[in-house]
Amino acid sequence: MIRTPVIRIAANAASDEAFLGQLGVKDRLVAVGGRVSFDDAVRQGVIDGRIGQIGYNWHAPPNLDVLLAVRPDVFLMRLSDLAQTPVLDRARRLGLTVVPTFAEDEPTYLGRAEWIRLHGLLTGREAEADRLFAQIDMRVQALKTAVAARPAVPMLWAYPAGGDRWVATVRGAEQAYLADAGGLNLLLRPEDPRQWSSETLSTEQILPVAAKAEAWIIGDLHAAPPRSTTIERVSPAFRDGRLFANTGRSNLSANAYDWYQTVFVRPDWVLADFVKALHPELVAEPFRFLKAVDRGVYR
């Protein structure tokens, strides 16, 4: 049983921070993963000691001692590894109210965003959450309609991983952004819920399709430094200056990247970026998460 609205909230995933931020209740956070939130106010709260640090979900199970000290009304626990399930059970035995969250595991980007309804229900902002999700859905449908009559743009989403290896988006919710933005992913693979949305490919696999790519999402937070631009030079995207990175909302000094935070809540903003990259005449607003990059620059 969870008594709502909850006032004191802990979360070990940046995406849950973003859901609360979009609802205007980030001030209710009493514990988060750590010091790399893209939200300046939350990050400063951690630095000042007003917000506890329980560890980010992708590193380790949450620090239960900190949770017991801050006593949240609810702990939003992202289970990035089912091996952390015993910690979930132990937290509950210790009297903590824990709600597992799986927004990042949804197979569609709108499915991820719809988790805002849970956050709205918990915080007493249900009407605001429903209204925001309806706006997100409406914008997504409008963007998809706008590109429907346009010819698809042959493209790649692949960044260098070092050692003649590239990490390429081939399926899943990320691939859906490309398709819905009017892109033709030259490395498209069949959908498979058992597989990651990306695959690691060799340079030899990238070269033939790069020669056909008119746009290329080549920059990433994890991209390896380029040894040369030999591979990219075969691509029309390179020659026409249509190279992009997903690092548009990054705070390098704080090691904070909104690609892992607000992206899950605002797929309408993400899709608008991809439409702008592929069909710039359809989107007047500036890029948010994407940005154009120079040749040989991957961040």
PDB file of all heavy atoms in Angstrom, residues 155-161 165-170 178 185 187 198-202 205-207 209-210 213 215-220 223 231-232 243-245 298:
ATOM      1  N   MET A 155      20.448   6.467 -44.284  1.00  0.00           N
ATOM      2  CA  MET A 155      21.231   7.005 -43.176  1.00  0.00           C
ATOM      3  C   MET A 155      21.838   5.889 -42.343  1.00  0.00           C
ATOM      4  O   MET A 155      21.466   4.715 -42.449  1.00  0.00           O
ATOM      5  CB  MET A 155      20.354   7.896 -42.309  1.00  0.00           C
ATOM      6  CG  MET A 155      19.264   7.150 -41.557  1.00  0.00           C
ATOM      7  SD  MET A 155      18.420   8.201 -40.359  1.00  0.00           S
ATOM      8  CE  MET A 155      19.777   8.720 -39.315  1.00  0.00           C
ATOM      9  N   LEU A 156      22.755   6.303 -41.456  1.00  0.00           N
ATOM     10  CA  LEU A 156      23.372   5.416 -40.478  1.00  0.00           C
ATOM     11  C   LEU A 156      23.284   6.043 -39.097  1.00  0.00           C
ATOM     12  O   LEU A 156      23.263   7.267 -38.962  1.00  0.00           O
ATOM     13  CB  LEU A 156      24.859   5.192 -40.789  1.00  0.00           C
ATOM     14  CG  LEU A 156      25.250   4.438 -42.043  1.00  0.00           C
ATOM     15  CD1 LEU A 156      26.770   4.380 -42.146  1.00  0.00           C
ATOM     16  CD2 LEU A 156      24.664   3.040 -42.025  1.00  0.00           C
ATOM     17  N   TRP A 157      23.262   5.196 -38.095  1.00  0.00           N
ATOM     18  CA  TRP A 157      23.476   5.622 -36.719  1.00  0.00           C
ATOM     19  C   TRP A 157      24.526   4.685 -36.165  1.00  0.00           C
ATOM     20  O   TRP A 157      24.227   3.586 -35.678  1.00  0.00           O
ATOM     21  CB  TRP A 157      22.181   5.537 -35.924  1.00  0.00           C
ATOM     22  CG  TRP A 157      22.263   6.107 -34.529  1.00  0.00           C
ATOM     23  CD1 TRP A 157      23.377   6.529 -33.859  1.00  0.00           C
ATOM     24  CD2 TRP A 157      21.163   6.314 -33.628  1.00  0.00           C
ATOM     25  NE1 TRP A 157      23.060   6.984 -32.612  1.00  0.00           N
ATOM     26  CE2 TRP A 157      21.702   6.872 -32.438  1.00  0.00           C
ATOM     27  CE3 TRP A 157      19.793   6.089 -33.719  1.00  0.00           C
ATOM     28  CZ2 TRP A 157      20.903   7.185 -31.335  1.00  0.00           C
ATOM     29  CZ3 TRP A 157      18.993   6.397 -32.635  1.00  0.00           C
ATOM     30  CH2 TRP A 157      19.531   6.950 -31.460  1.00  0.00           C
ATOM     31  N   ALA A 158      25.780   5.064 -36.273  1.00  0.00           N
ATOM     32  CA  ALA A 158      26.890   4.207 -35.859  1.00  0.00           C
ATOM     33  C   ALA A 158      28.074   5.067 -35.450  1.00  0.00           C
ATOM     34  O   ALA A 158      28.422   6.016 -36.148  1.00  0.00           O
ATOM     35  CB  ALA A 158      27.287   3.276 -37.000  1.00  0.00           C
ATOM     36  N   TYR A 159      28.677   4.740 -34.318  1.00  0.00           N
ATOM     37  CA  TYR A 159      29.832   5.503 -33.850  1.00  0.00           C
ATOM     38  C   TYR A 159      31.041   4.580 -33.684  1.00  0.00           C
ATOM     39  O   TYR A 159      30.892   3.373 -33.418  1.00  0.00           O
ATOM     40  CB  TYR A 159      29.516   6.241 -32.552  1.00  0.00           C
ATOM     41  CG  TYR A 159      29.255   5.359 -31.342  1.00  0.00           C
ATOM     42  CD1 TYR A 159      30.322   4.904 -30.544  1.00  0.00           C
ATOM     43  CD2 TYR A 159      27.965   5.014 -30.958  1.00  0.00           C
ATOM     44  CE1 TYR A 159      30.093   4.120 -29.422  1.00  0.00           C
ATOM     45  CE2 TYR A 159      27.727   4.231 -29.839  1.00  0.00           C
ATOM     46  CZ  TYR A 159      28.796   3.787 -29.083  1.00  0.00           C
ATOM     47  OH  TYR A 159      28.566   3.008 -27.978  1.00  0.00           O
ATOM     48  N   PRO A 160      32.249   5.130 -33.831  1.00  0.00           N
ATOM     49  CA  PRO A 160      33.459   4.311 -33.715  1.00  0.00           C
ATOM     50  C   PRO A 160      33.709   3.883 -32.279  1.00  0.00           C
ATOM     51  O   PRO A 160      33.602   4.681 -31.345  1.00  0.00           O
ATOM     52  CB  PRO A 160      34.566   5.245 -34.220  1.00  0.00           C
ATOM     53  CG  PRO A 160      34.039   6.618 -33.967  1.00  0.00           C
ATOM     54  CD  PRO A 160      32.559   6.541 -34.148  1.00  0.00           C
ATOM     55  N   ALA A 161      34.026   2.599 -32.099  1.00  0.00           N
ATOM     56  CA  ALA A 161      34.276   2.055 -30.769  1.00  0.00           C
ATOM     57  C   ALA A 161      35.733   1.671 -30.578  1.00  0.00           C
ATOM     58  O   ALA A 161      36.088   1.085 -29.556  1.00  0.00           O
ATOM     59  CB  ALA A 161      33.384   0.846 -30.528  1.00  0.00           C
ATOM     60  N   ARG A 165      36.102  -1.185 -34.900  1.00  0.00           N
ATOM     61  CA  ARG A 165      34.765  -1.624 -34.524  1.00  0.00           C
ATOM     62  C   ARG A 165      33.858  -0.411 -34.418  1.00  0.00           C
ATOM     63  O   ARG A 165      34.280   0.689 -34.051  1.00  0.00           O
ATOM     64  CB  ARG A 165      34.786  -2.369 -33.178  1.00  0.00           C
ATOM     65  CG  ARG A 165      35.486  -3.726 -33.228  1.00  0.00           C
ATOM     66  CD  ARG A 165      34.702  -4.717 -34.081  1.00  0.00           C
ATOM     67  NE  ARG A 165      35.286  -6.039 -34.111  1.00  0.00           N
ATOM     68  CZ  ARG A 165      36.144  -6.447 -35.036  1.00  0.00           C
ATOM     69  NH1 ARG A 165      36.525  -5.605 -36.000  1.00  0.00           N
ATOM     70  NH2 ARG A 165      36.610  -7.670 -35.009  1.00  0.00           N
ATOM     71  N   TRP A 166      32.589  -0.623 -34.743  1.00  0.00           N
ATOM     72  CA  TRP A 166      31.578   0.426 -34.701  1.00  0.00           C
ATOM     73  C   TRP A 166      30.354  -0.098 -33.971  1.00  0.00           C
ATOM     74  O   TRP A 166      29.962  -1.255 -34.143  1.00  0.00           O
ATOM     75  CB  TRP A 166      31.172   0.837 -36.119  1.00  0.00           C
ATOM     76  CG  TRP A 166      32.280   1.444 -36.920  1.00  0.00           C
ATOM     77  CD1 TRP A 166      33.349   0.798 -37.466  1.00  0.00           C
ATOM     78  CD2 TRP A 166      32.431   2.830 -37.252  1.00  0.00           C
ATOM     79  NE1 TRP A 166      34.163   1.690 -38.108  1.00  0.00           N
ATOM     80  CE2 TRP A 166      33.620   2.943 -38.009  1.00  0.00           C
ATOM     81  CE3 TRP A 166      31.680   3.973 -36.994  1.00  0.00           C
ATOM     82  CZ2 TRP A 166      34.067   4.165 -38.496  1.00  0.00           C
ATOM     83  CZ3 TRP A 166      32.124   5.186 -37.480  1.00  0.00           C
ATOM     84  CH2 TRP A 166      33.310   5.278 -38.223  1.00  0.00           C
ATOM     85  N   VAL A 167      29.745   0.735 -33.148  1.00  0.00           N
ATOM     86  CA  VAL A 167      28.489   0.389 -32.478  1.00  0.00           C
ATOM     87  C   VAL A 167      27.355   1.015 -33.281  1.00  0.00           C
ATOM     88  O   VAL A 167      27.277   2.245 -33.410  1.00  0.00           O
ATOM     89  CB  VAL A 167      28.465   0.883 -31.025  1.00  0.00           C
ATOM     90  CG1 VAL A 167      27.097   0.594 -30.392  1.00  0.00           C
ATOM     91  CG2 VAL A 167      29.576   0.211 -30.221  1.00  0.00           C
ATOM     92  N   ALA A 168      26.491   0.168 -33.829  1.00  0.00           N
ATOM     93  CA  ALA A 168      25.445   0.630 -34.747  1.00  0.00           C
ATOM     94  C   ALA A 168      24.059   0.350 -34.188  1.00  0.00           C
ATOM     95  O   ALA A 168      23.802  -0.736 -33.655  1.00  0.00           O
ATOM     96  CB  ALA A 168      25.598  -0.056 -36.095  1.00  0.00           C
ATOM     97  N   THR A 169      23.167   1.318 -34.309  1.00  0.00           N
ATOM     98  CA  THR A 169      21.755   1.124 -33.961  1.00  0.00           C
ATOM     99  C   THR A 169      21.082   0.365 -35.087  1.00  0.00           C
ATOM    100  O   THR A 169      21.111   0.788 -36.245  1.00  0.00           O
ATOM    101  CB  THR A 169      21.066   2.482 -33.759  1.00  0.00           C
ATOM    102  OG1 THR A 169      21.646   3.120 -32.612  1.00  0.00           O
ATOM    103  CG2 THR A 169      19.569   2.313 -33.543  1.00  0.00           C
ATOM    104  N   VAL A 170      20.455  -0.764 -34.749  1.00  0.00           N
ATOM    105  CA  VAL A 170      19.904  -1.643 -35.788  1.00  0.00           C
ATOM    106  C   VAL A 170      18.442  -2.020 -35.559  1.00  0.00           C
ATOM    107  O   VAL A 170      17.782  -2.513 -36.473  1.00  0.00           O
ATOM    108  CB  VAL A 170      20.744  -2.933 -35.910  1.00  0.00           C
ATOM    109  CG1 VAL A 170      22.171  -2.614 -36.326  1.00  0.00           C
ATOM    110  CG2 VAL A 170      20.731  -3.730 -34.600  1.00  0.00           C
ATOM    111  N   LEU A 178      14.432   6.609 -36.097  1.00  0.00           N
ATOM    112  CA  LEU A 178      14.912   6.812 -37.469  1.00  0.00           C
ATOM    113  C   LEU A 178      13.776   6.602 -38.459  1.00  0.00           C
ATOM    114  O   LEU A 178      13.578   7.407 -39.380  1.00  0.00           O
ATOM    115  CB  LEU A 178      16.072   5.856 -37.771  1.00  0.00           C
ATOM    116  CG  LEU A 178      17.257   5.876 -36.812  1.00  0.00           C
ATOM    117  CD1 LEU A 178      18.373   4.980 -37.340  1.00  0.00           C
ATOM    118  CD2 LEU A 178      17.755   7.289 -36.580  1.00  0.00           C
ATOM    119  N   ASN A 185      17.222   3.278 -42.367  1.00  0.00           N
ATOM    120  CA  ASN A 185      18.409   2.779 -41.678  1.00  0.00           C
ATOM    121  C   ASN A 185      19.072   1.708 -42.539  1.00  0.00           C
ATOM    122  O   ASN A 185      18.518   0.620 -42.740  1.00  0.00           O
ATOM    123  CB  ASN A 185      18.026   2.207 -40.315  1.00  0.00           C
ATOM    124  CG  ASN A 185      19.233   1.834 -39.474  1.00  0.00           C
ATOM    125  OD1 ASN A 185      20.366   1.889 -39.934  1.00  0.00           O
ATOM    126  ND2 ASN A 185      18.978   1.457 -38.227  1.00  0.00           N
ATOM    127  N   LEU A 187      21.408  -0.152 -41.855  1.00  0.00           N
ATOM    128  CA  LEU A 187      21.858  -1.303 -41.065  1.00  0.00           C
ATOM    129  C   LEU A 187      20.698  -1.938 -40.293  1.00  0.00           C
ATOM    130  O   LEU A 187      20.903  -2.600 -39.271  1.00  0.00           O
ATOM    131  CB  LEU A 187      22.960  -0.872 -40.091  1.00  0.00           C
ATOM    132  CG  LEU A 187      24.293  -0.490 -40.751  1.00  0.00           C
ATOM    133  CD1 LEU A 187      25.246   0.102 -39.723  1.00  0.00           C
ATOM    134  CD2 LEU A 187      24.933  -1.707 -41.426  1.00  0.00           C
ATOM    135  N   SER A 198      21.438  -2.178 -30.350  1.00  0.00           N
ATOM    136  CA  SER A 198      22.656  -1.918 -31.123  1.00  0.00           C
ATOM    137  C   SER A 198      23.482  -3.191 -31.259  1.00  0.00           C
ATOM    138  O   SER A 198      23.339  -4.139 -30.469  1.00  0.00           O
ATOM    139  CB  SER A 198      23.495  -0.827 -30.457  1.00  0.00           C
ATOM    140  OG  SER A 198      23.904  -1.245 -29.167  1.00  0.00           O
ATOM    141  N   GLU A 199      24.336  -3.208 -32.277  1.00  0.00           N
ATOM    142  CA  GLU A 199      25.267  -4.304 -32.485  1.00  0.00           C
ATOM    143  C   GLU A 199      26.644  -3.730 -32.794  1.00  0.00           C
ATOM    144  O   GLU A 199      26.752  -2.626 -33.334  1.00  0.00           O
ATOM    145  CB  GLU A 199      24.819  -5.198 -33.648  1.00  0.00           C
ATOM    146  CG  GLU A 199      23.561  -6.000 -33.365  1.00  0.00           C
ATOM    147  CD  GLU A 199      23.187  -6.933 -34.516  1.00  0.00           C
ATOM    148  OE1 GLU A 199      23.926  -6.951 -35.531  1.00  0.00           O
ATOM    149  OE2 GLU A 199      22.160  -7.623 -34.405  1.00  0.00           O
ATOM    150  N   THR A 200      27.673  -4.469 -32.449  1.00  0.00           N
ATOM    151  CA  THR A 200      29.038  -4.058 -32.765  1.00  0.00           C
ATOM    152  C   THR A 200      29.443  -4.677 -34.094  1.00  0.00           C
ATOM    153  O   THR A 200      29.394  -5.914 -34.246  1.00  0.00           O
ATOM    154  CB  THR A 200      30.014  -4.491 -31.656  1.00  0.00           C
ATOM    155  OG1 THR A 200      29.605  -3.902 -30.413  1.00  0.00           O
ATOM    156  CG2 THR A 200      31.438  -4.039 -31.982  1.00  0.00           C
ATOM    157  N   LEU A 201      29.802  -3.836 -35.046  1.00  0.00           N
ATOM    158  CA  LEU A 201      30.126  -4.279 -36.399  1.00  0.00           C
ATOM    159  C   LEU A 201      31.556  -3.890 -36.750  1.00  0.00           C
ATOM    160  O   LEU A 201      32.142  -2.994 -36.135  1.00  0.00           O
ATOM    161  CB  LEU A 201      29.160  -3.646 -37.404  1.00  0.00           C
ATOM    162  CG  LEU A 201      27.665  -3.854 -37.143  1.00  0.00           C
ATOM    163  CD1 LEU A 201      26.840  -3.122 -38.196  1.00  0.00           C
ATOM    164  CD2 LEU A 201      27.315  -5.338 -37.147  1.00  0.00           C
ATOM    165  N   SER A 202      32.098  -4.561 -37.738  1.00  0.00           N
ATOM    166  CA  SER A 202      33.452  -4.257 -38.189  1.00  0.00           C
ATOM    167  C   SER A 202      33.425  -3.120 -39.205  1.00  0.00           C
ATOM    168  O   SER A 202      32.385  -2.814 -39.805  1.00  0.00           O
ATOM    169  CB  SER A 202      34.078  -5.497 -38.831  1.00  0.00           C
ATOM    170  OG  SER A 202      33.398  -5.820 -40.040  1.00  0.00           O
ATOM    171  N   GLN A 205      32.020  -4.090 -42.485  1.00  0.00           N
ATOM    172  CA  GLN A 205      30.560  -4.109 -42.581  1.00  0.00           C
ATOM    173  C   GLN A 205      29.983  -2.707 -42.730  1.00  0.00           C
ATOM    174  O   GLN A 205      28.913  -2.533 -43.320  1.00  0.00           O
ATOM    175  CB  GLN A 205      29.963  -4.782 -41.337  1.00  0.00           C
ATOM    176  CG  GLN A 205      30.248  -6.273 -41.235  1.00  0.00           C
ATOM    177  CD  GLN A 205      29.825  -6.842 -39.897  1.00  0.00           C
ATOM    178  OE1 GLN A 205      30.414  -6.534 -38.861  1.00  0.00           O
ATOM    179  NE2 GLN A 205      28.796  -7.666 -39.899  1.00  0.00           N
ATOM    180  N   ILE A 206      30.684  -1.719 -42.197  1.00  0.00           N
ATOM    181  CA  ILE A 206      30.201  -0.345 -42.267  1.00  0.00           C
ATOM    182  C   ILE A 206      30.456   0.273 -43.638  1.00  0.00           C
ATOM    183  O   ILE A 206      29.607   1.003 -44.175  1.00  0.00           O
ATOM    184  CB  ILE A 206      30.877   0.511 -41.171  1.00  0.00           C
ATOM    185  CG1 ILE A 206      30.424   0.065 -39.779  1.00  0.00           C
ATOM    186  CG2 ILE A 206      30.599   1.999 -41.373  1.00  0.00           C
ATOM    187  CD1 ILE A 206      28.998   0.422 -39.434  1.00  0.00           C
ATOM    188  N   LEU A 207      31.592   0.000 -44.230  1.00  0.00           N
ATOM    189  CA  LEU A 207      32.008   0.675 -45.458  1.00  0.00           C
ATOM    190  C   LEU A 207      30.992   0.613 -46.597  1.00  0.00           C
ATOM    191  O   LEU A 207      30.672   1.652 -47.194  1.00  0.00           O
ATOM    192  CB  LEU A 207      33.348   0.102 -45.937  1.00  0.00           C
ATOM    193  CG  LEU A 207      34.594   0.844 -45.484  1.00  0.00           C
ATOM    194  CD1 LEU A 207      35.844   0.079 -45.886  1.00  0.00           C
ATOM    195  CD2 LEU A 207      34.626   2.249 -46.082  1.00  0.00           C
ATOM    196  N   VAL A 209      27.764   0.336 -46.699  1.00  0.00           N
ATOM    197  CA  VAL A 209      26.547   1.118 -46.483  1.00  0.00           C
ATOM    198  C   VAL A 209      26.863   2.590 -46.272  1.00  0.00           C
ATOM    199  O   VAL A 209      26.046   3.459 -46.592  1.00  0.00           O
ATOM    200  CB  VAL A 209      25.726   0.565 -45.300  1.00  0.00           C
ATOM    201  CG1 VAL A 209      25.164  -0.807 -45.633  1.00  0.00           C
ATOM    202  CG2 VAL A 209      26.567   0.482 -44.034  1.00  0.00           C
ATOM    203  N   ALA A 210      28.059   2.878 -45.752  1.00  0.00           N
ATOM    204  CA  ALA A 210      28.444   4.278 -45.558  1.00  0.00           C
ATOM    205  C   ALA A 210      28.459   5.029 -46.878  1.00  0.00           C
ATOM    206  O   ALA A 210      28.147   6.225 -46.935  1.00  0.00           O
ATOM    207  CB  ALA A 210      29.814   4.364 -44.891  1.00  0.00           C
ATOM    208  N   ALA A 213      24.998   6.497 -47.356  1.00  0.00           N
ATOM    209  CA  ALA A 213      24.361   7.266 -46.282  1.00  0.00           C
ATOM    210  C   ALA A 213      24.373   8.757 -46.572  1.00  0.00           C
ATOM    211  O   ALA A 213      25.434   9.361 -46.713  1.00  0.00           O
ATOM    212  CB  ALA A 213      25.053   6.988 -44.954  1.00  0.00           C
ATOM    213  N   ALA A 215      22.844  10.877 -44.423  1.00  0.00           N
ATOM    214  CA  ALA A 215      22.919  11.482 -43.086  1.00  0.00           C
ATOM    215  C   ALA A 215      23.491  10.422 -42.156  1.00  0.00           C
ATOM    216  O   ALA A 215      23.281   9.224 -42.365  1.00  0.00           O
ATOM    217  CB  ALA A 215      21.551  11.938 -42.596  1.00  0.00           C
ATOM    218  N   TRP A 216      24.227  10.881 -41.124  1.00  0.00           N
ATOM    219  CA  TRP A 216      24.939   9.923 -40.282  1.00  0.00           C
ATOM    220  C   TRP A 216      24.986  10.452 -38.850  1.00  0.00           C
ATOM    221  O   TRP A 216      25.524  11.521 -38.592  1.00  0.00           O
ATOM    222  CB  TRP A 216      26.358   9.740 -40.809  1.00  0.00           C
ATOM    223  CG  TRP A 216      27.117   8.563 -40.259  1.00  0.00           C
ATOM    224  CD1 TRP A 216      26.889   7.902 -39.092  1.00  0.00           C
ATOM    225  CD2 TRP A 216      28.249   7.921 -40.867  1.00  0.00           C
ATOM    226  NE1 TRP A 216      27.797   6.885 -38.921  1.00  0.00           N
ATOM    227  CE2 TRP A 216      28.649   6.872 -39.997  1.00  0.00           C
ATOM    228  CE3 TRP A 216      28.975   8.150 -42.040  1.00  0.00           C
ATOM    229  CZ2 TRP A 216      29.736   6.050 -40.281  1.00  0.00           C
ATOM    230  CZ3 TRP A 216      30.057   7.327 -42.319  1.00  0.00           C
ATOM    231  CH2 TRP A 216      30.432   6.289 -41.460  1.00  0.00           C
ATOM    232  N   ILE A 217      24.376   9.691 -37.927  1.00  0.00           N
ATOM    233  CA  ILE A 217      24.528   9.985 -36.498  1.00  0.00           C
ATOM    234  C   ILE A 217      25.810   9.268 -36.081  1.00  0.00           C
ATOM    235  O   ILE A 217      25.809   8.077 -35.784  1.00  0.00           O
ATOM    236  CB  ILE A 217      23.322   9.491 -35.674  1.00  0.00           C
ATOM    237  CG1 ILE A 217      21.993   9.882 -36.334  1.00  0.00           C
ATOM    238  CG2 ILE A 217      23.410  10.027 -34.245  1.00  0.00           C
ATOM    239  CD1 ILE A 217      21.780  11.352 -36.495  1.00  0.00           C
ATOM    240  N   ILE A 218      26.892   9.993 -36.064  1.00  0.00           N
ATOM    241  CA  ILE A 218      28.216   9.384 -35.902  1.00  0.00           C
ATOM    242  C   ILE A 218      28.839   9.681 -34.547  1.00  0.00           C
ATOM    243  O   ILE A 218      29.770   9.007 -34.114  1.00  0.00           O
ATOM    244  CB  ILE A 218      29.144   9.867 -37.040  1.00  0.00           C
ATOM    245  CG1 ILE A 218      30.377   8.976 -37.165  1.00  0.00           C
ATOM    246  CG2 ILE A 218      29.526  11.335 -36.863  1.00  0.00           C
ATOM    247  CD1 ILE A 218      31.205   9.240 -38.414  1.00  0.00           C
ATOM    248  N   GLY A 219      28.323  10.686 -33.844  1.00  0.00           N
ATOM    249  CA  GLY A 219      28.876  11.062 -32.550  1.00  0.00           C
ATOM    250  C   GLY A 219      28.081  10.473 -31.404  1.00  0.00           C
ATOM    251  O   GLY A 219      26.858  10.326 -31.487  1.00  0.00           O
ATOM    252  N   ASP A 220      28.780  10.122 -30.345  1.00  0.00           N
ATOM    253  CA  ASP A 220      28.134   9.518 -29.178  1.00  0.00           C
ATOM    254  C   ASP A 220      28.981   9.798 -27.946  1.00  0.00           C
ATOM    255  O   ASP A 220      30.184  10.083 -28.047  1.00  0.00           O
ATOM    256  CB  ASP A 220      27.988   8.008 -29.387  1.00  0.00           C
ATOM    257  CG  ASP A 220      27.143   7.345 -28.321  1.00  0.00           C
ATOM    258  OD1 ASP A 220      25.905   7.286 -28.496  1.00  0.00           O
ATOM    259  OD2 ASP A 220      27.704   6.890 -27.311  1.00  0.00           O
ATOM    260  N   ALA A 223      31.914   7.386 -27.947  1.00  0.00           N
ATOM    261  CA  ALA A 223      32.695   7.227 -29.171  1.00  0.00           C
ATOM    262  C   ALA A 223      34.191   7.280 -28.888  1.00  0.00           C
ATOM    263  O   ALA A 223      34.657   8.084 -28.074  1.00  0.00           O
ATOM    264  CB  ALA A 223      32.310   8.306 -30.182  1.00  0.00           C
ATOM    265  N   ILE A 231      37.056   6.338 -43.300  1.00  0.00           N
ATOM    266  CA  ILE A 231      35.785   5.626 -43.468  1.00  0.00           C
ATOM    267  C   ILE A 231      34.677   6.604 -43.833  1.00  0.00           C
ATOM    268  O   ILE A 231      33.907   6.379 -44.771  1.00  0.00           O
ATOM    269  CB  ILE A 231      35.419   4.869 -42.176  1.00  0.00           C
ATOM    270  CG1 ILE A 231      36.585   4.002 -41.704  1.00  0.00           C
ATOM    271  CG2 ILE A 231      34.165   4.033 -42.391  1.00  0.00           C
ATOM    272  CD1 ILE A 231      37.080   3.032 -42.736  1.00  0.00           C
ATOM    273  N   GLU A 232      34.594   7.712 -43.104  1.00  0.00           N
ATOM    274  CA  GLU A 232      33.508   8.661 -43.333  1.00  0.00           C
ATOM    275  C   GLU A 232      33.577   9.325 -44.710  1.00  0.00           C
ATOM    276  O   GLU A 232      32.545   9.732 -45.254  1.00  0.00           O
ATOM    277  CB  GLU A 232      33.533   9.756 -42.259  1.00  0.00           C
ATOM    278  CG  GLU A 232      33.451   9.247 -40.828  1.00  0.00           C
ATOM    279  CD  GLU A 232      34.826   9.000 -40.240  1.00  0.00           C
ATOM    280  OE1 GLU A 232      35.535   8.113 -40.754  1.00  0.00           O
ATOM    281  OE2 GLU A 232      35.184   9.688 -39.289  1.00  0.00           O
ATOM    282  N   LEU A 243      26.612  15.322 -40.632  1.00  0.00           N
ATOM    283  CA  LEU A 243      27.074  14.456 -39.557  1.00  0.00           C
ATOM    284  C   LEU A 243      26.553  15.015 -38.235  1.00  0.00           C
ATOM    285  O   LEU A 243      26.614  16.218 -37.995  1.00  0.00           O
ATOM    286  CB  LEU A 243      28.603  14.400 -39.518  1.00  0.00           C
ATOM    287  CG  LEU A 243      29.305  13.927 -40.791  1.00  0.00           C
ATOM    288  CD1 LEU A 243      30.813  14.048 -40.632  1.00  0.00           C
ATOM    289  CD2 LEU A 243      28.916  12.494 -41.136  1.00  0.00           C
ATOM    290  N   PHE A 244      26.052  14.134 -37.368  1.00  0.00           N
ATOM    291  CA  PHE A 244      25.428  14.577 -36.129  1.00  0.00           C
ATOM    292  C   PHE A 244      25.897  13.723 -34.947  1.00  0.00           C
ATOM    293  O   PHE A 244      26.374  12.601 -35.120  1.00  0.00           O
ATOM    294  CB  PHE A 244      23.899  14.485 -36.244  1.00  0.00           C
ATOM    295  CG  PHE A 244      23.333  15.268 -37.390  1.00  0.00           C
ATOM    296  CD1 PHE A 244      23.128  14.668 -38.631  1.00  0.00           C
ATOM    297  CD2 PHE A 244      23.006  16.610 -37.238  1.00  0.00           C
ATOM    298  CE1 PHE A 244      22.613  15.392 -39.697  1.00  0.00           C
ATOM    299  CE2 PHE A 244      22.488  17.335 -38.299  1.00  0.00           C
ATOM    300  CZ  PHE A 244      22.292  16.727 -39.527  1.00  0.00           C
ATOM    301  N   ALA A 245      25.732  14.286 -33.747  1.00  0.00           N
ATOM    302  CA  ALA A 245      26.021  13.566 -32.502  1.00  0.00           C
ATOM    303  C   ALA A 245      24.835  13.718 -31.559  1.00  0.00           C
ATOM    304  O   ALA A 245      24.050  14.659 -31.672  1.00  0.00           O
ATOM    305  CB  ALA A 245      27.287  14.121 -31.849  1.00  0.00           C
ATOM    306  N   TYR A 298      33.458  13.454 -32.890  1.00  0.00           N
ATOM    307  CA  TYR A 298      32.424  12.468 -32.544  1.00  0.00           C
ATOM    308  C   TYR A 298      31.743  12.749 -31.214  1.00  0.00           C
ATOM    309  O   TYR A 298      31.057  11.890 -30.680  1.00  0.00           O
ATOM    310  CB  TYR A 298      33.046  11.073 -32.507  1.00  0.00           C
ATOM    311  CG  TYR A 298      33.665  10.664 -33.838  1.00  0.00           C
ATOM    312  CD1 TYR A 298      34.850   9.959 -33.882  1.00  0.00           C
ATOM    313  CD2 TYR A 298      33.054  10.997 -35.042  1.00  0.00           C
ATOM    314  CE1 TYR A 298      35.421   9.586 -35.082  1.00  0.00           C
ATOM    315  CE2 TYR A 298      33.614  10.638 -36.238  1.00  0.00           C
ATOM    316  CZ  TYR A 298      34.790   9.931 -36.266  1.00  0.00           C
ATOM    317  OH  TYR A 298      35.348   9.564 -37.467  1.00  0.00           O
TER     318      TYR A 298
END
